Amino acid sequence: MSHKRIPKRKAAIVVGGVVALGAAAILLPNANASQDGASDGVAAAPKTLKAGDASDLATRLAGTLGDAYAGAWYDGEDKQLVVNVVRGENTMALKVRSAGAEVRWVDNSMTELEAGAGTLKSEATIPGTSWAVDPRTNKILVTADSTVTGDKWDQLESTVENLGSGMATLKKSAGTFRTFASGGDAIFAGGARCSLGFNVTAGDGSPAFLTAGHCAAAGDQWSDQQGGEPIATVDQALFPGAGDFALLTYDDPATEAPSEVNVGGQTVPIVQAAEATVGQQVFRMGSTTGLADGQVLGLNATVNYPEGTVTGLIQTDVCAEPGDSGGSLFTQDGLAIGLTSGGSGDCTVGGETFFQPVTTALEAVGATLGAGGAGAGGQAGGQEQGAGQDAGDGEAGADDQAGAGDQAGAGDQADGQDVGTGQDGAGGQDGTGTGSGRHSGQDSGLSRTH
C-alpha cells in the first residue's frame, strides 16, 4: 500500500486510469466445464468476463439457484465463470447458461459441503488446521500444518473420513499456521510491525486505514517509523473470531491521501472493494516481501491459529511472511479484495495464506473505501517520494509518496538493506530505518513471483 502521511496539504494524485500491469498473466487450471448429462441443447457460448464481473454474476446466480448451487470459480485462461450445479437440476442449468456462465455438474450441494464444514468445526477444531470449500473439486479442502501429529492427526483424519467418500480431501502442510505480525516494515507498536492495508474514511468522516486485527494486540498507538511518534490509533479491532481486521484512525484529522497501492515505482489506483472469486488472480503487497501474486483457492475459510479460530477468510496460494500482516490483496484493475491475516510457508517454498475480506471489514467498522481512485484516509510513511506530476496543477512531486515499502524494518529485519528493483518502494525506505523487504514487481508492471 502506498503509505504516505500528508498533513495540512493536498496530495498529488496519480490519475489517468489503472496502471498497465504488463506481463502478469497466470495460467489457472483449465476448468473442467463438462456438461455431460445436459440434454437441453443450449449452445450459447459463455460470456467473456472480468474477474470482478464474474464475482458479481456468481453472487446473483447463487441467490437464483438456491439449493442447486454448489459454488463457482473463475477460469482465468478463458475468462469465464464456471458454476457448479447439482446433478439433475436441468432447469437451473439453463438459467446459468442464459446468464452467460459455464455449467459443471456435481454431486455435493453447497448445503452438504457447509454441513461438513460444521462437523469439522465441532469435532476437529485443532490449532494448526484449516478448511474451506473448493468448488473446483466440489469438496472441502482440509489442511493440517506440521504441528498436527499423533492423536490430533488421528482425530482430524477420522473426522474427515466420517464425512463420507467424496466430501473432503486432507493434506499436510510443511509449514506452521501463524499470523504474519512479527517482522515487516509498515507500521509499528510495542515492538511489533505490520503492513498498512487500505486507506478508508471512517464513519465519522475522519481519515483512517485498515490492517489486520491481530496487529492491534501489540498496542493502541501506531507509528510509521520504529520508535517514532504515533500517527494513528486503534479505533476498532477483531481477532480471533469472525474475522481478522482493525480500523485505525489518523491522529491528524488533516491527513489526506489517495486510495492506491504502490508497487514500487508506480501505483495502482484502488477504485472499490469487491468480493473474491475462486480462481481469480490476485496481487499482495506487504512490507516484508513486497509484491507477490497467485490465485484464490477458497472462500469462507476457517483457520485455527494458536491464538484462536478465525472464520470467513479467503484462502490463496499467494506467499507471505512475518511483517506482511494487514497488507493489501488486490486485483490488477484496482479492486480491493483482502487484508493479509496469516498462513504457513514463505516466499521461497510457498504455502497457504489467508486474507480477511475487505468488504466484510468495511461493513463491520462502518468505513468506506475511496471511489474512482480518489481516496479518503491518510497513509503512513516517512520519506517524500513524489509520484510524479499532479495532473491538476502540474506540480511535480507534490504528493509525499513513500510507497508500500516505505516502512522501517524492525527487530529481526534490521539488516539495513533494500532488496528491491532499484526503487526505494517495496523493501525498506531510506529515511525510515531498516528494511529487508523483497520486491519482485518490475517498474513496467506487476510480475509473477512463483
Side-chain angles (χ1 to χ4, degrees):
M1 188 64 200
S2 173
H3 311 305
K4 53 187 171 184
R5 183 167 173 250
I6 315 174
K8 305 186 188 300
R9 67 185 182 83
K10 182 179 172 70
I13 300 175
V14 177
V15 297
V18 177
V19 178
L21 298 177
I26 181 171
L27 295 178
L28 305 183
N30 192 10
N32 175 15
S34 171
Q35 298 181 18
D36 58 307
S39 58
D40 47 73
V42 176
K47 294 178 181 177
T48 298
L49 300 168
K50 293 181 179 179
D53 295 333
S55 176
D56 292 341
L57 179 57
T59 299
R60 293 197 302 271
L61 286 173
T64 299
L65 300 184
D67 291 341
Y69 178 80
W73 78 91
Y74 182 63
D75 181 346
E77 184 173 322
D78 293 333
K79 300 188 183 305
Q80 295 171 354
L81 178 68
V82 182
V83 177
N84 289 342
V85 178
V86 176
R87 200 176 300 279
E89 294 281 359
N90 294 330
T91 300
M92 295 303 179
L94 281 171
K95 292 183 178 182
V96 170
R97 296 188 187 112
S98 297
E102 189 81 9
V103 171
R104 177 175 180 260
W105 296 108
V106 297
D107 295 317
N108 297 322
S109 70
M110 187 58 70
T111 299
E112 291 170 327
L113 292 169
E114 290 175 347
T119 299
L120 287 164
K121 179 180 179 180
S122 63
E123 299 182 14
T125 297
I126 301 167
T129 61
S130 72
W131 50 82
V133 172
D134 180 2
R136 285 176 292 190
T137 62
N138 189 226
K139 296 180 181 181
I140 304 168
L141 174 60
V142 183
T143 307
D145 73 12
S146 59
T147 67
V148 182
T149 58
D151 291 343
K152 293 180 179 179
W153 172 261
D154 292 342
Q155 178 184 349
L156 181 64
E157 187 176 42
S158 175
T159 303
V160 170
E161 290 177 353
N162 289 338
L163 293 178
S165 176
M167 280 295 294
T169 56
L170 176 59
K171 77 168 191 173
K172 192 83 170 177
S173 173
T176 301
F177 288 157
R178 67 199 189 283
T179 54
F180 293 133
S182 54
D185 48 80
I187 48 178
F188 303 85
R193 58 176 176 166
C194 287
S195 297
L196 188 152
F198 296 99
N199 290 296
V200 299
T201 301
D204 62 0
S206 61
F209 64 84
L210 293 174
T211 189
H214 66 263
C215 294
D220 290 335
Q221 293 186 307
W222 287 76
S223 172
D224 57 357
Q225 299 183 48
Q226 185 180 14
E229 291 297 317
I231 64 164
T233 302
V234 175
D235 181 78
Q236 301 178 55
L238 177 64
F239 176 84
D244 183 6
F245 56 85
L247 175 73
L248 280 71
T249 55
Y250 283 92
D251 296 336
D252 185 346
T255 302
E256 299 180 12
S259 180
E260 61 187 26
V261 175
N262 185 299
V263 296
Q266 64 177 321
T267 57
V268 178
I270 298 300
V271 297
Q272 68 183 67
E275 302 289 346
T277 304
V278 172
Q280 181 178 24
Q281 183 188 22
V282 286
F283 294 87
R284 176 197 54 74
M285 194 66 193
S287 57
T288 299
T289 56
L291 182 68
D293 78 306
Q295 64 174 293
V296 176
L297 301 179
L299 305 177
N300 197 27
T302 295
V303 186
N304 296 300
Y305 292 123
E307 301 91 339
T309 299
V310 181
T311 60
L313 301 183
I314 301 166
Q315 183 171 350
T316 78
D317 63 1
V318 184
C319 73
E321 295 182 9
D324 290 329
S325 277
S328 14
L329 184 73
F330 61 100
T331 67
Q332 62 181 11
D333 53 353
L335 301 179
I337 301 296
L339 307 165
T340 307
S341 174
S344 68
D346 54 38
C347 286
T348 300
V349 301
E352 299 80 22
T353 305
F354 302 93
F355 295 82
Q356 164 66 46
V358 169
T359 52
T360 305
L362 288 171
E363 181 178 3
V365 301
T368 56
L369 197 64
Q379 303 189 16
Q383 180 189 4
E384 294 193 2
Q385 181 181 317
Q389 289 193 336
D390 185 317
D393 57 19
E395 292 180 7
D399 68 309
D400 286 324
Q401 174 100 7
D406 161 33
Q407 301 135 356
D412 57 342
Q413 299 289 336
D415 60 0
Q417 182 180 11
D418 288 331
V419 192
T421 59
Q423 298 287 338
D424 285 336
Q429 294 275 334
D430 15 326
T432 58
T434 58
S436 59
R438 295 183 296 281
H439 181 210
S440 59
Q442 302 298 319
D443 290 344
S444 60
L446 304 185
S447 62
R448 291 201 48 156
T449 61
H450 60 279

